[in-house]
Every structure is written in structure tokens, then in C-alpha cells.
Amino acid sequence: MKPICPCCHSSAVYEVSDNTDISLFDELLSPAVLVGLGVSICKTLKVHPAIGAVVGIVLATVIELTQPNKALPMRVNKQYRCSSCDHVFTDFN
């Protein structure tokens, strides 16, 4: 069931997504990027690419273990924004 704006009672609302959980630094040091970088460097140096993949995985694991533990964001209540009056509200369903 679609929520209704408590301010103007409009049904023209959309869910607000929060994309601030992942930073650019986290994306650059992701395991996929590090493995790809290791394979690319090994191909350039004419070393077997599997060595680069293993080095990338080990590096990604070390980086992941040294960062403080981040709890997964649990969002039980969704936030919505009204298209008519721009009111932001939370749905408690």
C-alpha cells in the first residue's frame, strides 16, 4: 500500500534513498578493483595473472580487516518525500 503525505494528503510520494553509506574510498579499495589491478599489473610485467589475483585478494582482505567494523545499515522505517509539498516523512509500517 502506497503511503499518503500526512501534510497535504497527496498520494504522489516517492521513497527517499540514502546513498551515503558507501564512500568513493570504499569503492576504489573494493576487492574487485584490487584483483583487477593486480591482474593488470602482472600482465604488464609479464607475470602470471593468477599471482596478481591472489595478491589483490590478500590486499583487499588486509584492508577489510584493518578498517573498523561497520554495521550493516538496517532501515526498518522508510522515508518518503511528497512530490506536491516536498514534505519528508517516515512510514512506520
Side-chain angles (χ1 to χ4, degrees):
M1 183 164 96
K2 192 168 185 177
I4 295 175
C5 177
C7 190
C8 69
H9 304 291
S10 172
S11 63
V13 296
Y14 58 93
E15 186 175 347
V16 178
S17 63
D18 185 17
N19 294 330
T20 60
D21 295 319
I22 300 175
S23 68
L24 181 61
F25 184 72
D26 290 337
E27 289 180 13
L28 291 175
L29 293 179
S30 69
V33 172
L34 292 174
V35 169
L37 182 64
V39 170
S40 297
I41 291 173
C42 283
K43 284 182 178 178
T44 302
L45 298 175
K46 302 211 185 320
V47 179
H48 199 279
I51 295 172
V54 170
V55 170
I57 291 171
V58 168
L59 186 60
T61 304
V62 168
I63 290 172
E64 194 69 31
L65 290 174
T66 57
Q67 290 182 346
N69 291 338
K70 297 178 186 175
L72 292 176
M74 293 185 64
R75 180 178 256 176
V76 176
N77 301 327
K78 297 180 180 178
Q79 286 191 333
Y80 294 93
R81 179 181 297 271
C82 178
S83 297
S84 300
C85 67
D86 285 333
H87 178 71
V88 177
F89 63 96
T90 303
D91 184 27
F92 293 106
N93 290 335

